[in-house]
Amino acid sequence: MTSRELAAPPDALARANGYEAPPPRVGFFTDTSVCIGCKACEVACKEWNHVPDDGLDLLGMSFDNTGMLGANSWRHVAFVEQQRPLGNQDPGLTGLPTGPSGLDHTSEVVEARLRTAPRGGSELGTTPLPTAPGGGAVQDLGMPTFSRPGEGSGPESRTDFRWLMESDVCKHCTEAGCLDVCPTGALFRTEFGTVVVQQDICNGCGYCVSACPYGVIDRRPGDGRAQKCTLCYDRLHDGGQPACAKACPTESIQFGELDELRERADRRLAELHGQGVPEAQLYGRDPDDGVGGHGALFLLLDQPEVYGLPPAPVVPTRFAPQIWRRVGAAAAAFALAAVGAFGSVVIGDRR
Amino acid sequence: MGPPADAASYYGRPVLKAPVWEWGTAAYLFTGGLAAGTAVVAAGADLVGADRLRRACWLGSFGALLTSVGLLIDDLGRPERFHHMLRVAKPTSPMSMGTWLLTAFGPGVGAAALWELLPVRWRSSWPARLLRRLSRVVGLTSAVTAPGVATYTAALLAQTAVPGWNEVRGELPFVFAGSAAASGGGFGMLAAPPAEARPARVFAAVGAAGELVASRVMEQRMGLIREVYHQGAAGRRRRAAELLTLAGLAGTVLAAGRSRAGAAASGIALLTGSALQRFGIFEAGVASTKDPRYTVVPQRERLDAAARGAGLSG
Ligand code: SF4
């Protein structure tokens, strides 16, 4: 039997959530191997969904100016510079006096500053990093200058180079931690199998923020409600595709029925492995992983954590039976202590 | 065993979002436990006829409950929509379960406290007698739901992706149950004369001992996250909590039965210890979200172990 035959029917998730005759489950396949880091997805998403602007500063992390996903960044393009070749690709640097990436230096500066940020930097998005206490407003991060890196030396200092870019997004988990813990019913499973926050219901309790194992959803400052990618729920209704997928010029972001996307991802992975890129791997493809698989799959060229993704997250809901058993036992002990305390007095008085 | 210092990460950025909850939620962990602890002491005191203990503890419970509700609503992003919590009852959401536990718990405490607040000369009037009878019935629902109120907050924290809370899911309920009992009993010792407060002392002592043991076991079983429980503000608060609870326990056993001052001092030590314990655990969890290592390293270890297992069997 192939895995295709073993897989659940394409509308199973929506049916399990009470929809009759739902459309097939849809999602994204983000193939990072063809991402060129143009950020058209970020911009299209902001425009369509009225996601507020939150600054355009570079953050000392290559060409990243979004930091991570958050209330005001529903797509985030990550940039990673590495001193190794990508498959057999020629980076086109032969003969150029190109030295090593400056990222080791900038990372050090960024990391130290993240530690002092109020929420460890998870809230920052595009907000510039706080400078060291007492320091000036802006610190030189060794960021792009008009002279080429390594120009001071010669071609002998040239290193291998590859530039990883990845457009991150809400995973629309099969088992979504955010949705499970939402106490108001604001977060819900749509008929397309996606996860959406109803803005007229959310009261900003913040539980989803801590229940998402990917650090995706967040409360929007000044608004107070939880915000994240809706997979353009409104566009899907009209038979359209999400704004980011529409805007992506390289088809790095592909929208479609999840079943088909999984097949496409498998084919692309085999292709890359055949082309001498053994490090290519799928992320969120496996329906047996800790969240039951993603609605938004990724093809990555390095380990997930290199892109800021958790390597093997588990939805907190899976621990609920164990947790409640322990809570029950603790509650019983608490009650027993109370009964014992008063019982001992009554018995003691009778004697 | 030193933790791997340089797990791969994206510029050291956290993988998780730090909780948006602020000190109010941490304080609620304490006040909610206190409301539950004092409610069972009050209900018990009512049954054994310890009038001053009963009165003090119903009023204490009511005060703690009102404070709790205030703190919870204040920590919402849209406080005016707090009642949206009552739209649904969701077993998968500990917060929803907690909302309904508090909804069942609150009225009894409110009715009992109202009766305690009535001027004595009105107490023989028929509406007052009706209130008294009513409050004894609903007061019982409060006493029955109190153990749930005292412990569900452990599920609230544990059922998150926060490593510092999720990984202590086995022991946290017992730490919170003990902490709530210690604070409830401690309050009784502080507010009622020693002659009446014996059950409060027993309850407090059992709770404090339970909390100390559970907290030690919890720490023993921690992996990498032990760091966040030892370092910084969280570590300081947890160390102070342990000392105060230990001192409060000793005072409860040795001095609180004999002197009012000893009882009051022990009660205050237990209450402060309980509060610091909650803040310490809350802050340790927050700290664990700010460094990607606490998320990535255990997951990577699990993956590697699974790969080794597959390699052996395959
Ligand atoms: S848990 Fe996180 S990644 Fe999964 S659906 Fe919710 S917000 Fe998206």
Side-chain angles (χ1 to χ4, degrees):
Chain A
M1 237 196 280
T2 67
S3 63
R4 168 98 176 128
E5 278 162 320
L6 278 172
D11 59 356
L13 185 57
R15 274 185 194 279
N17 281 274
Y19 293 96
E20 284 167 26
R25 183 176 179 190
V26 298
F28 288 125
F29 168 44
T30 306
D31 177 359
T32 68
S33 68
V34 293
C35 179
I36 55 169
C38 70
K39 301 178 190 169
C41 50
E42 286 188 12
V43 176
C45 173
K46 279 193 184 267
E47 282 199 323
W48 180 262
N49 294 300
H50 301 297
V51 179
D53 139 79
D54 48 1
L56 286 168
D57 303 270
L58 288 167
L59 301 169
M61 303 153 55
S62 190
F63 275 70
D64 187 340
N65 64 353
T66 339
M68 73 187 281
L69 291 174
N72 292 341
S73 296
W74 296 357
R75 271 276 176 192
H76 157 235
V77 183
F79 292 77
V80 180
E81 299 173 17
Q82 292 178 331
Q83 290 169 38
R84 57 189 273 200
L86 173 59
N88 306 318
Q89 200 182 58
D90 174 7
L93 303 175
T94 319
L96 289 176
T98 306
S101 154
L103 274 203
D104 284 346
H105 168 63
T106 55
S107 304
E108 246 170 66
V109 178
V110 170
E111 225 182 299
R113 298 235 208 123
L114 286 172
R115 296 288 161 266
T116 62
R119 289 176 68 205
S122 64
E123 80 284 23
L124 286 174
T126 69
T127 320
L129 290 163
T131 43
V138 180
Q139 187 171 340
D140 181 23
L141 294 174
M143 283 301 294
T145 56
F146 289 102
S147 61
R148 286 174 300 190
E151 212 156 52
S153 56
E156 71 282 354
S157 68
R158 184 160 44 81
T159 56
D160 267 321
F161 181 74
R162 69 172 187 170
W163 205 1
L164 305 182
M165 294 149 205
E166 179 244 6
S167 178
D168 196 10
V169 72
C170 167
K171 317 302 177 283
H172 293 276
C173 309
T174 307
E175 296 171 42
C178 62
L179 191 161
D180 287 339
V181 301
C182 176
T184 64
L187 270 151
F188 79 113
R189 179 79 57 186
T190 73
E191 63 272 38
F192 301 101
T194 56
V195 180
V196 174
V197 191
Q198 300 174 78
Q199 292 300 323
D200 52 339
I201 306 291
C202 176
N203 68 6
C205 77
Y207 204 174
C208 54
V209 177
S210 291
C212 170
Y214 299 90
V216 168
I217 193 165
D218 202 5
R219 210 156 73 175
R220 182 176 290 165
D223 173 278
R225 293 172 298 183
Q227 308 277 350
K228 72 167 193 74
C229 161
T230 68
L231 218 133
C232 284
Y233 191 36
D234 47 352
R235 293 168 69 107
L236 298 191
H237 276 133
D238 298 329
Q241 57 172 315
C244 56
K246 184 95 184 167
C248 178
T250 65
E251 291 188 349
S252 170
I253 301 175
Q254 302 173 29
F255 166 80
E257 292 179 15
L258 188 58
D259 270 2
E260 202 213 316
L261 292 179
R262 284 179 173 155
E263 281 172 24
R264 252 191 256 175
D266 291 342
R267 277 201 304 276
R268 178 66 181 152
L269 183 71
E271 193 181 344
L272 281 170
H273 283 171
Q275 287 172 357
V277 191
E279 65 271 29
Q281 54 183 283
L282 297 182
Y283 182 64
R285 158 74 177 83
D286 181 7
D288 297 323
D289 69 13
V291 299
H294 297 176
L297 328 173
F298 297 82
L299 186 148
L300 306 177
L301 295 178
D302 205 334
Q303 305 286 31
E305 54 265 42
V306 171
Y307 299 89
L309 297 163
V314 177
V315 60
T317 328
R318 292 231 179 135
F319 302 109
Q322 183 203 354
I323 293 171
W324 284 111
R325 270 199 301 278
R326 306 290 285 195
V327 167
F334 178 91
L336 210 67
V339 171
F342 286 95
S344 70
V345 173
V346 175
I347 294 166
D349 287 351
R350 286 218 187 110
R351 281 213 185 113
Chain B
M1 171 200 77
D6 51 343
S9 78
Y10 186 65
Y11 304 93
R13 284 241 166 201
V15 168
L16 301 171
K17 288 265 175 284
V20 290
W21 298 329
E22 291 176 23
W23 66 270
T25 299
Y28 161 68
L29 297 175
F30 168 67
T31 58
L34 179 62
T38 43
V40 294
V41 174
D46 197 0
L47 291 177
V48 301
D51 289 343
R52 272 179 291 181
L53 182 62
R54 182 206 68 216
R55 179 177 160 80
C57 283
W58 276 133
L59 293 177
S61 181
F62 189 54
L65 180 65
L66 285 185
T67 313
S68 299
V69 172
L71 289 168
L72 286 178
I73 293 179
D74 185 60
D75 231 7
L76 293 177
R78 288 285 176 101
E80 75 283 3
R81 291 184 174 181
F82 75 93
H83 60 275
H84 286 195
M85 298 276 188
L86 303 171
R87 293 175 74 243
V88 290
K90 247 172 102 171
T92 57
S93 169
M95 193 182 280
S96 176
M97 292 294 96
T99 303
W100 291 106
L101 270 170
L102 285 174
T103 309
F105 174 75
V109 176
L114 194 64
W115 193 82
E116 301 292 355
L117 288 170
L118 279 186
V120 180
R121 60 198 151 86
W122 291 358
R123 288 201 181 164
S124 49
S125 68
W126 70 264
R129 286 204 309 272
L130 184 69
L131 177 65
R132 168 77 172 138
R133 220 170 298 149
L134 202 77
S135 75
R136 287 193 99 164
V137 177
V138 277
L140 228 80
T141 10
S142 299
V144 169
T145 45
V149 172
T151 50
Y152 93 89
T153 43
L156 183 83
L157 296 192
Q159 199 184 313
T160 59
V162 176
W165 296 337
N166 180 267
E167 284 174 31
V168 295
R169 57 188 175 270
E171 300 82 29
L172 201 56
F174 294 95
V175 176
F176 279 12
S179 174
S183 67
F187 183 87
M189 287 155 53
L190 178 65
E196 271 195 17
R198 203 167 95 205
R201 287 197 294 278
V202 177
F203 191 48
V206 172
E211 180 195 333
L212 287 168
V213 172
S215 170
R216 271 293 162 100
V217 173
M218 176 168 96
E219 202 151 322
Q220 220 105 73
R221 294 198 184 149
M222 284 176 194
L224 189 55
I225 54 159
R226 184 177 290 124
E227 290 174 11
V228 293
Y229 274 85
H230 279 191
Q231 291 163 358
R236 280 197 303 278
R237 293 199 220 291
R238 293 242 315 148
R239 279 190 294 279
E242 193 177 59
L243 284 178
L244 282 165
T245 307
L246 207 59
L249 175 61
T252 306
V253 175
L254 301 173
R258 272 177 261 139
S259 91
R260 183 82 204 236
S266 310
I268 289 172
L270 289 176
L271 284 163
T272 323
S274 170
L276 285 171
Q277 174 75 285
R278 310 302 183 113
F279 272 89
I281 290 173
F282 182 85
E283 283 162 8
V286 173
S288 74
T289 60
K290 292 184 180 174
D291 188 328
R293 274 186 315 133
Y294 301 117
T295 311
V296 171
V297 172
Q299 293 185 16
R300 190 37 72 195
E301 280 170 0
R302 222 170 45 235
L303 276 182
D304 291 348
R308 270 199 304 279
L312 285 178
S313 65

